[in-house]
Amino acid sequence: MRFLRAFFIALFTALVGCFLAFFVGDYLTRLAHVPEMEGQRGMTIVFLCAPLGILAGLIIGIVSAIIVRRQGLAGFLIAQGWSLLIVCGIGGLLVGVPYLLSDKPPRIDGKRLELQFELRAPATFKIPDQPNGYSIRVSLYTENRQSLFAFIDWSSITKDSEHVTIPGKLPILTHSKSRSLLASIGDEPVASQFIELKIPPTPRKEDETWSDWIFATQRADLSPVPEPERMALRYRVRPVN
């Protein structure tokens, strides 16, 4: 009977641990800015967080069933209650402690911020008429690490004989000392270029005005960009509700 009791307590606690692990993993991977590219964040939750939640639930359930020696239904409920309380407490700590220690998104007047930009590329870069997430990609690098992909406003793209202007935006989530955008158009090697941003770790009201045009100086492989192929970008910080 003690074996069956331990089995059912461990099984139910493992299920609860797996359930909590999805929510805790979702929060922690967002907090750590795990990239969404190619499903990296989703795979981290499914193949790392969920198994850890199941394992933790099994161990806690077995230990609780062994420690609580009271027999019958009352003993089962007490052991199950302790195991669930411990699992939920660990989940709360895994969310609460990182939140308290995390880098909170910067604000202006109590409002979160987003970076609005206009990317200007030479007219030789071909832009399809229909939206295509692989034709234009702009990602934010903070502290030399990719963190976010920008939203591209396809309906507002403009073209003339010399340039293609591509507007977009992305949220500002950290007080990073260095920020840059990697802009990619098409699959050609010359089409991925780094553009350094001059935004302070904590943006100020004066950062809400449009910057001057900033030109890319190097490609994704860190080789220099010839002047006729350079992209340019201007940006501003905007509070959002």
Side-chain angles (χ1 to χ4, degrees), residues 6-41:
F7 173 78
F8 284 112
I9 291 174
L11 180 62
F12 186 71
T13 309
L15 290 175
V16 173
C18 180
F19 179 77
L20 289 175
F22 276 95
F23 291 95
V24 173
D26 178 70
Y27 173 76
L28 292 180
T29 52
R30 290 181 186 276
L31 197 65
H33 308 301
V34 177
E36 301 278 0
M37 184 175 61
E38 298 179 351
Q40 292 182 47
R41 198 173 71 84

Side-chain angles (χ1 to χ4, degrees), residues 8-215:
F8 284 112
I9 291 174
L11 180 62
F12 186 71
T13 309
L15 290 175
V16 173
C18 180
F19 179 77
L20 289 175
F22 276 95
F23 291 95
V24 173
D26 178 70
Y27 173 76
L28 292 180
T29 52
R30 290 181 186 276
L31 197 65
H33 308 301
V34 177
E36 301 278 0
M37 184 175 61
E38 298 179 351
Q40 292 182 47
R41 198 173 71 84
M43 288 190 291
T44 300
I45 295 172
V46 173
F47 296 111
L48 178 61
C49 300
L52 288 176
I54 294 172
L55 180 61
L58 285 172
I59 294 173
I60 292 170
I62 292 172
V63 173
S64 297
I66 293 174
I67 291 177
V68 176
R69 297 186 175 276
R70 187 169 178 176
Q71 301 297 318
L73 180 61
F76 174 84
L77 293 177
I78 292 173
Q80 185 69 81
W82 273 112
S83 65
L84 294 179
L85 182 63
I86 293 171
V87 167
C88 292
I90 293 175
L93 287 174
L94 289 174
V95 170
V97 173
Y99 174 79
L100 292 175
L101 300 177
S102 65
D103 181 8
K104 308 297 188 303
R107 296 173 182 265
I108 293 179
D109 296 332
K111 297 181 179 180
R112 290 199 175 194
L113 307 177
E114 69 178 13
L115 178 71
Q116 296 181 348
F117 63 85
E118 290 183 349
L119 176 67
R120 191 172 67 187
T124 53
F125 287 84
K126 302 301 181 183
I127 306 296
D129 294 329
Q130 297 298 322
N132 184 329
Y134 292 98
S135 297
I136 303 175
R137 302 177 303 282
V138 179
S139 55
L140 175 67
Y141 276 69
T142 56
E143 313 297 346
N144 297 320
R145 185 182 69 174
Q146 187 183 52
S147 57
L148 291 171
F149 279 95
F151 168 78
I152 301 300
D153 187 359
W154 280 80
S155 62
S156 300
I157 293 177
T158 59
K159 304 177 183 179
D160 58 34
S161 59
E162 296 184 356
H163 302 106
V164 177
T165 303
I166 304 163
K169 62 182 179 180
L170 50 81
I172 299 176
L173 301 178
T174 63
H175 295 77
S176 300
K177 294 182 180 180
S178 65
R179 298 182 178 95
S180 59
L181 292 182
L182 177 64
S184 304
I185 300 178
D187 298 321
E188 300 178 11
V190 298
S192 295
Q193 302 177 14
F194 274 111
I195 302 175
E196 296 293 330
L197 305 179
K198 299 176 182 179
I199 303 175
T202 303
R204 305 177 296 268
K205 292 287 291 185
E206 50 263 38
D207 296 310
E208 295 182 29
T209 58
W210 284 104
S211 70
D212 296 329
W213 287 99
I214 302 174
F215 289 89

